[in-house]
């Protein structure tokens, strides 16, 4: 089952062509072994093994994640 929630960027961020704007809210869809994180340009997939590291750059909105 997929789990969907929102995160807020703590700073302006960039990974390759994907960017996130400080203070903006983005959607996360978590699946069995990976998650999809929306960006200003589309979305990016991450294995769940790096979830904690990735979320160090985002605030998981209360009651979610």
């Amino acid at each position: 089952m997929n789990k969907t929630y929102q995160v807020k960027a703590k700073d302006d961020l960039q990974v390759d062509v994907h960017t996130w704007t400080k203070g903006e809210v983005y959607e996360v869809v978590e699946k069995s072994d990976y998650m999809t994180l929306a960006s200003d340009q589309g979305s990016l997939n991450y294995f769940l093994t790096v979830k904690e590291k990735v979320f160090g750059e985002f605030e998981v909105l209360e009651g979610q994640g």
Side-chain angles (χ1 to χ4, degrees), residues 9-61:
K10 293 179 180 177
D11 289 301
D12 289 337
L13 305 166
Q14 182 171 356
V15 175
D16 294 325
V17 299
H18 294 276
T19 61
W20 296 267
T21 303
K22 180 179 180 176
E24 291 295 317
V25 174
Y26 299 92
E27 182 177 83
V28 176
V29 177
E30 196 171 310
K31 301 190 179 186
S32 61
D33 62 345
Y34 73 97
M35 65 181 184
T36 301
L37 172 62
S39 77
D40 293 332
Q41 288 70 33
S43 62
L44 194 59
N45 293 332
Y46 289 99
F47 286 110
L48 291 180
T49 55
V50 299
K51 177 181 173 179
E52 285 187 40
K53 184 171 178 79
V54 171
F55 281 0
E57 304 295 332
F58 294 88
E59 174 188 345
V60 178
L61 298 183

